[in-house]
């Protein structure tokens, strides 16, 4: 094992690996600054570039970005009071307060050093998990792996932010979508409706980029202005270093909380940072300065948000159960390369495991160093309007989705799922359970039938590992039910005694006609899946029907709650908002771009779409549109000669 670790470290002396790690680190820092992208956006945008690379180079690129994306998102949170990601909103409380007092450098020092420490501690946690979990993982048989897949979907649904019923419904719908294609047990086609394109199932890249990438662009493309106000850095670098050293216990505690939050599917960096902040407040003797510039309110959360990403990798690599969305996409990349996470990755690809660990630790140090050296220049990027960035992001994401299968059908699926993802986000449905359910659909079914064929009846449920996982599965549900009952009893009590979670301002259409429509779509989808699966053979229809019936129950409850809420309120919340109109217009633009690509080819479509979007939607100046389009065109033209990337060819090119 030590030999593998040293061999992985030595491999980083390879210039190509080191360059990919540096590129990933710089890209992660830049994407961390752009509101809404975060770790999910970073992996989504870089993932297409990895196609055609060797696995070590691809991993170095993605891990480099993932390790530092939460380091740079602090810059805008401290200097502008506008966090680059939701997890940085905690840092904003005390960091922005310090900056307004002229102590921005002090706050940034605390944040950068804590992020670096969190990344290193997270990498150590991942390193320790390999030898500790190795005998456990290798002892797992199909019953334990089946229970783990069930646990992955259930915990993601139960623990993710928002309504549990919505989370479970989203997870079940993700499972149904993941079953499109050939059955793993009978080789029978399901939910393909005779389409050869759907015979291989839906592309993970298209689903992930649609549900998260395009949905995020649509919801933020209306931002035509960048941040205007800025705060000077001021002094305090030395004071920040001294304070950080004096609060080293908070750094370690925050990192450990982050690892724990990362291991649990669906919890994520946002919840992890709030938990770290909560423990800092709870354990402090003097709480008066929290929210007014207390260094303890920065070091704990900043340490936690970086270690969350390392914690995410533990269940993803060792058990094949993604802890969050970025790790789910990373899992898809590994499967594309024929690398099966779980017991086999320890026996066959241990060197890659340690390469990930080293890359994570090195990128964390480089990220903090780059931030110290370039904080002024990085802060200027936050002034770029998101609408301007959106034009290029759409072009890159559509090109990325095309690389996996080389079919335009994937791009249409991506846009359809983009609309659905925007609807989920706007109405308060957690999207992580959906994607995790999609990823785990086939493993869940495969392990179930393998277990069923090896054991008599329910004998497999008596195995100790299965009983432990059952307990882990049931206890959070009981706890959630108890919390629900308590909340009902306290309805009439003072709201000021509730926890300090921020308001969910990312679901503006919650409790509107849109959320009612979303619940209806869920119910219709599950009903259609149940009816369609009736024509399958008994083995092929068992799991889809069980999932569909469960989905119908939960979506039925959702519909009942939505209708009851409207009847009680007797007022209809406005559903057709300006943001909704703009989002749907953005999807029309995306559809137009894809239609142009299908007809005229990708490069011609870029030449038409980019300047038109910049001038009409982003309202950019003509000079900006010309330079932007020219630079992007040259880069895309040169890309196939630099990387093994194919540009979509249109119908017109087939005639020439």
């Amino acid at each position: 094992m030590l030999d593998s670790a040293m061999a992985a470290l030595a491999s980083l002396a390879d210039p190509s690996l080191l360059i990919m790690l540096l590129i990933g680190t710089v890209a992660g820092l830049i994407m961390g600054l752009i509101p809404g992208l975060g770790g999910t956006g970073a992996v989504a945008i870089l993932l297409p570039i990895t196609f055609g690379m060797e696995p070590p180079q691809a991993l170095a690129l993605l891990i480099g970005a993932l390790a530092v994306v939460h380091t740079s998102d602090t810059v805008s949170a401290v200097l502008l009071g506008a966090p680059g990601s939701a997890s940085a909103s905690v840092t904003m409380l005390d960091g922005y307060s310090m900056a307004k007092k002229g102590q921005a450098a002090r706050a940034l020092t605390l944040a950068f050093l804590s992020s670096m420490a969190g990344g290193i501690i997270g990498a150590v946690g991942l390193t320790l998990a390999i030898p500790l979990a190795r005998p456990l993982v290798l002892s797992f048989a199909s019953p334990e792996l089946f229970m783990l897949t069930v646990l992955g979907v259930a915990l993601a649904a139960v623990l993710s932010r928002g309504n549990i019923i919505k989370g479970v419904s989203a997870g079940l719908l993700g499972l149904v979508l993941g079953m499109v294609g050939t059955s793993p047990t009978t080789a029978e086609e399901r939910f393909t409706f005779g389409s050869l394109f759907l015979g291989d199932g839906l592309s993970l890249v298209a689903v992930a980029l649609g549900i998260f990438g395009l949905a995020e662009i649509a919801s933020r493309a209306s931002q035509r202005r960048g941040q205007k106000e800025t705060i000077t850095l001021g002094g305090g670098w030395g004071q920040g270093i001294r304070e950080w050293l004096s609060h080293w216990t908070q750094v370690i505690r925050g990192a450990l909380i982050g690892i724990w939050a990362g291991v649990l599917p669906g919890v994520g960096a946002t919840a992890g940072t709030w938990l770290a902040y909560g423990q800092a407040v709870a354990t402090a003797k003097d709480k008066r300065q929290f929210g007014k510039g207390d260094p303890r309110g920065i070091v704990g959360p900043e340490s936690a948000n970086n270690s969350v990403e390392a914690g995410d990798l533990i269940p993803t690599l060792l058990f094949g159960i993604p802890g969050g969305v970025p790790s789910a996409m990373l899992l898809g990349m590994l499967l594309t390369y024929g690398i099966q996470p779980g017991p086999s990755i320890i026996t066959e690809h241990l060197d890659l495991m340690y390469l990930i660990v080293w890359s994570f630790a090195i990128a964390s140090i480089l990220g903090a160093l780059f931030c110290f050296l370039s904080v002024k220049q990085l802060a200027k990027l936050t002034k770029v309007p998101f609408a301007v960035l959106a034009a290029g992001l759409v072009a890159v994401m559509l090109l990325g989705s095309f690389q996996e299968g080389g079919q335009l059908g994937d791009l249409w699926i991506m846009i359809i799922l983009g609309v659905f993802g925007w609807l989920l986000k706007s109405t308060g449905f957690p999207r992580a359970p959906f994607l995790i359910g999609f990823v785990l659909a086939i493993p869940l079914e495969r392990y179930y039938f393998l277990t069923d064929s090896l054991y008599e009846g329910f004998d497999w449920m008596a195995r100790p590992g299965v009983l432990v996982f059952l307990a882990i599965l049931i206890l959070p549900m009981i706890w959630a039910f108890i919390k629900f009952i308590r909340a009902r009893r306290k309805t009439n009590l003072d709201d000021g005694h509730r926890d300090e979670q921020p308001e969910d301002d990312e679901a503006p259409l919650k409790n509107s006609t849109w959320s009612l429509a979303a619940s209806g779509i869920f119910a219709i989808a599950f009903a259609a899946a149940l009816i369609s699966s009736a024509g399958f053979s008994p083995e092929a229809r068992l799991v889809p029907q069980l999932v569909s019936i469960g989905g119908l129950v939960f979506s039925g409850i959702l519909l009942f709650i939505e209708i009851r809420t409207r009847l009680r309120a007797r007022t209809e919340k406005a559903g057709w908002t300006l943001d909704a109109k703009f989002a749907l217009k953005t999807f029309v633009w995306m559809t137009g771009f894809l239609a142009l690509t299908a007809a005229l080819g990708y490069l011609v479509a870029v030449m038409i779409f980019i300047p038109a979007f910049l001038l009409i939607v982003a309202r950019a100046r003509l000079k900006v549109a010309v330079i932007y389009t020219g630079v992007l065109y040259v880069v895309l033209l040169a890309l196939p000669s630099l990387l093994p990337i194919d540009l979509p060819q249109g119908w017109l090119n087939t005639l020439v």
Side-chain angles (χ1 to χ4, degrees):
M1 194 168 282
L2 183 62
D3 295 341
S4 299
M6 290 299 106
L9 179 61
S11 69
L12 281 169
D14 181 349
S16 64
L17 268 182
L18 211 51
I19 290 171
M20 284 300 125
L21 185 62
L22 286 172
I23 292 174
T25 304
V26 174
L29 289 174
I30 294 172
M31 289 175 202
L33 284 166
I34 301 170
L37 290 186
T40 303
V43 178
I45 292 170
L46 292 178
L47 190 60
I49 302 173
T50 63
F51 291 120
M53 291 183 185
E54 292 297 318
Q57 280 79 5
L59 280 172
L61 183 74
L62 293 183
I63 296 297
L66 204 55
V68 301
V69 74
H70 292 301
T71 304
S72 60
D73 63 5
T74 312
V75 175
S76 55
V78 171
L79 294 181
L80 307 170
S85 70
S87 63
S89 59
V90 191
T91 309
M92 186 183 69
L93 296 178
D94 289 285
Y96 191 51
S97 298
M98 273 191 197
K100 286 193 288 187
K101 297 174 185 173
Q103 301 170 347
R106 176 187 166 208
L108 288 173
T109 304
L110 290 165
F112 294 157
L113 292 176
S114 302
S115 291
M116 180 188 69
I120 294 172
I121 294 172
V124 171
L126 183 56
T127 306
L128 293 176
I130 295 171
L132 292 177
R134 178 174 179 160
L136 183 68
V137 173
L138 294 178
S139 68
F140 277 9
S142 57
E144 285 81 8
L145 292 171
F146 168 67
M147 281 306 302
L148 265 177
T149 54
V150 174
L151 197 63
V153 180
L155 285 184
V158 172
L159 299 179
S160 57
R161 189 181 59 173
N163 190 308
I164 292 175
I165 300 174
K166 287 183 175 179
V168 174
S169 300
L172 292 174
L173 192 60
L175 282 172
V176 171
L177 200 68
M179 293 174 191
V180 172
T182 307
S183 165
T185 53
T186 62
E188 182 180 347
E189 289 193 348
R190 299 179 300 188
F191 307 122
T192 61
F193 309 105
S195 165
L196 290 174
F197 166 69
L198 293 176
D200 292 331
L202 299 178
S203 156
L204 172 62
V205 177
V207 173
L209 291 182
I211 289 290
F212 285 92
L214 295 189
E216 201 65 46
I217 289 174
S219 63
R220 293 183 181 272
S222 60
Q223 297 172 3
R224 292 168 174 155
R225 292 183 179 179
Q227 301 291 339
K228 284 186 174 178
E229 296 180 1
T230 186
I231 291 177
T232 55
L233 283 174
W237 299 104
Q239 185 184 356
I241 293 172
R242 287 192 295 276
E243 281 185 332
W244 181 77
L245 290 172
S246 66
H247 293 299
W248 63 273
T249 56
Q250 288 288 352
V251 174
I252 293 175
R253 274 185 277 175
L256 294 178
I257 289 172
I259 293 173
W260 175 75
V263 169
L264 293 177
V267 175
T270 305
T273 51
W274 278 99
L275 285 170
Y277 188 81
Q279 72 81 28
V281 175
T283 57
K285 291 180 181 176
D286 182 5
K287 303 177 174 59
R288 289 174 297 178
Q289 291 304 312
F290 278 100
K292 301 174 184 175
D294 195 310
R296 293 169 296 181
I298 298 176
V299 294
E302 278 303 308
S303 178
N305 64 14
N306 271 44
S307 62
V308 162
E309 303 300 345
D312 262 359
L313 295 175
I314 294 174
T316 304
L317 297 173
L318 299 181
F319 303 104
I321 310 296
V325 177
S327 53
M329 288 190 270
L330 188 69
L331 183 69
M333 188 215 78
L334 291 173
L335 293 173
T336 305
Y337 283 108
I339 300 170
Q340 180 69 46
S344 61
I345 198 172
I346 295 179
T347 54
E348 299 171 13
H349 303 285
L350 193 57
D351 53 337
L352 284 182
M353 291 278 292
Y354 282 110
L355 177 66
I356 290 171
V357 172
W358 286 114
S359 299
F360 204 97
I362 294 172
S364 297
I365 298 169
L366 288 176
L369 183 64
F370 286 165
C371 280
F372 273 119
L373 295 176
S374 58
V375 61
K376 289 182 181 177
Q377 287 70 28
L378 288 176
K380 290 177 183 174
L381 282 175
T382 59
K383 294 178 180 293
V384 180
F386 191 86
V388 172
L389 297 172
L393 292 177
V394 169
V396 171
M397 285 186 182
L398 288 175
L399 177 62
S401 180
F402 182 77
Q403 300 312 307
E404 189 178 16
Q407 299 192 61
L408 286 175
D410 286 331
L411 308 190
W412 290 111
I413 294 289
M414 184 176 159
I415 289 184
I416 292 169
L417 289 175
V419 177
F420 185 60
W422 170 82
L423 183 64
L424 293 182
K425 181 186 176 186
S426 302
T427 53
F429 280 86
R431 291 172 290 170
F434 181 87
L435 187 62
I436 292 175
F438 176 79
V439 171
L440 295 180
I442 296 302
L444 181 143
E445 200 169 1
R446 183 182 295 124
Y447 289 133
Y448 170 74
F449 280 105
L450 192 57
T451 302
D452 187 56
S453 63
L454 294 174
Y455 293 84
E456 285 289 333
F458 292 99
D459 289 350
W460 59 274
M461 294 190 73
R463 289 173 63 91
V466 174
L467 292 174
V468 170
F469 291 137
L470 269 176
I472 297 173
L473 177 66
I474 294 171
L475 287 178
M477 293 183 181
I478 295 174
W479 175 242
F481 181 73
I482 292 172
K483 283 178 67 179
F484 173 75
I485 298 296
R486 284 181 176 176
R488 295 277 296 177
R489 288 177 178 173
K490 291 180 180 177
T491 303
N492 296 325
L493 296 180
D494 182 9
D495 287 341
H497 292 283
R498 296 189 177 184
D499 58 33
E500 298 182 11
Q501 295 288 334
E503 290 184 7
D504 186 7
D505 56 355
E506 292 194 348
L509 301 179
K510 200 173 178 181
N511 298 325
S512 71
T513 311
W514 291 90
S515 56
L516 178 63
S519 302
I521 291 172
F522 269 80
I524 291 170
F526 286 123
L530 185 63
I531 294 168
S532 299
S533 59
F536 304 155
S537 65
E539 281 195 347
R541 71 171 176 242
L542 176 63
V543 177
Q545 287 198 335
L546 286 175
V547 173
S548 300
I549 290 170
L552 271 175
V553 170
F554 281 99
S555 57
I557 295 172
L558 271 180
L559 272 174
F560 171 75
I561 293 172
E562 290 285 345
I563 293 170
R564 189 186 63 174
T565 302
R566 269 155 198 75
L567 291 176
R568 284 185 175 180
R570 295 183 182 280
T571 55
E572 189 68 20
K573 185 177 177 180
W576 194 246
T577 62
L578 283 176
D579 285 342
K581 286 181 184 176
F582 203 93
L584 294 183
K585 281 182 184 176
T586 306
F587 281 115
V588 171
W589 275 89
M590 293 179 192
T591 306
F593 177 51
L594 187 49
L596 283 172
T597 302
L600 306 175
Y602 181 73
L603 284 176
V604 177
V606 165
M607 290 292 287
I608 298 172
F609 169 77
I610 296 293
F613 190 90
L614 288 173
L615 293 171
I616 299 172
V617 179
R619 295 179 184 171
R621 289 179 296 174
L622 180 62
K623 181 182 174 183
V624 172
V626 171
I627 295 174
Y628 193 127
T629 307
V631 171
L632 187 62
Y633 180 79
V634 170
V635 170
L636 291 173
L637 194 63
L639 214 51
S641 57
L642 300 173
L643 294 170
I645 284 179
D646 295 323
L647 302 180
Q649 302 299 314
W651 168 78
L652 192 63
N653 288 321
T654 62
L655 299 178
V656 178

